Amino acid sequence: MIAIEEEKITSISYQSQSMTEPATRDVHPYGMTYHKGSLYLVAFAPDHDAVRIYKVDRIADAAVSDFPFQRPEDFDLARHFERSFGVFQGDGEATIRVRFLPPVVRYVQEKTWHSSQVVETQRDGGLVVEWRLSHTEEIKHWLLSFGANAQILAPEELRRQIADEARAISALYEIGRAHV
């Protein structure tokens, strides 16, 4: 928090989910955000020339330097996440359309899941919901939680990913398959 407030370059030892060992890197910390029970550091990473998100639980060590950085005047934390379904960022533009069946409609209608959300009530009691996002990874996991009560209508790539995942899950539970 001191590094964010004082705009000081900070060295972090960070172990991403895909790495076997922590890597040390310098970052320019811009802010923090809380999402699904975890705290995330939002920082400019000079080695990637991009703003990156670091899960605080994965930061093994941090050292605030005496060297200042200048946060861009137009950087706004809320605006940074406005095209995200959570904290994942992307450079793309995806329009996600999903048909929710009646057993989950009340739950889906309980809140606005994203600011771009458009809801169409269906005659059979279902819903078709549309979102515009920069990345589909987080919404994919959320949609999988609905099982057969959510049908992805678009984009086709997300439909394929969900179908592949459903086949893989089904294969795990085939009768006669060995139990561990």
Side-chain angles (χ1 to χ4, degrees):
M1 294 308 295
I2 291 169
I4 293 167
E5 290 174 13
E6 296 182 3
E7 296 184 352
K8 300 287 185 172
I9 295 172
T10 303
S11 178
I12 62 171
S13 179
Y14 186 76
Q15 185 164 355
S16 70
Q17 195 168 2
S18 62
M19 301 285 286
T20 57
E21 296 292 324
T24 301
R25 60 191 54 153
D26 288 338
V27 297
H28 303 178
Y30 288 176
M32 304 281 265
T33 191
Y34 186 77
H35 178 66
K36 290 190 175 180
S38 294
L39 192 59
Y40 293 86
L41 170 66
V42 180
F44 178 76
D47 58 334
H48 293 286
D49 194 29
V51 174
R52 305 290 290 253
I53 311 301
Y54 301 95
K55 190 173 186 180
V56 171
D57 294 347
R58 295 184 186 145
I59 298 174
D61 192 29
V64 179
S65 77
D66 292 328
F67 300 105
F69 69 86
Q70 179 118 19
R71 181 182 302 117
E73 288 182 25
D74 64 345
F75 182 81
D76 179 86
L77 198 58
R79 200 171 64 236
H80 180 73
F81 289 110
E82 71 185 359
R83 293 182 45 223
S84 173
F85 198 71
V87 293
F88 284 26
Q89 300 292 305
D91 294 327
E93 177 76 26
T95 299
I96 293 91
R97 285 183 55 83
V98 181
R99 184 179 191 297
F100 292 97
L101 299 183
V104 298
V105 163
R106 182 176 294 170
Y107 177 76
V108 173
Q109 286 179 319
E110 284 178 347
K111 72 181 229 177
T112 300
W113 298 95
H114 188 266
S115 61
S116 68
Q117 181 171 309
V118 177
V119 178
E120 302 168 17
T121 304
Q122 304 295 293
R123 288 182 185 201
D124 66 355
L127 288 178
V128 173
V129 184
E130 181 176 296
W131 297 276
R132 288 180 318 283
L133 305 172
S134 66
H135 199 285
T136 61
E137 191 65 25
E138 283 176 295
I139 199 167
K140 176 176 73 173
H141 296 290
W142 183 71
L143 292 170
L144 280 165
S145 74
F146 291 98
N149 286 304
Q151 178 188 19
I152 289 73
L153 304 174
E156 189 59 37
E157 174 64 16
L158 183 58
R159 281 179 55 85
R160 186 192 57 73
Q161 290 173 1
I162 296 282
D164 290 348
E165 189 74 18
R167 280 190 287 278
I169 291 168
S170 180
L172 288 175
Y173 293 97
E174 286 180 6
I175 295 174
R177 190 173 176 104
H179 298 282
V180 179

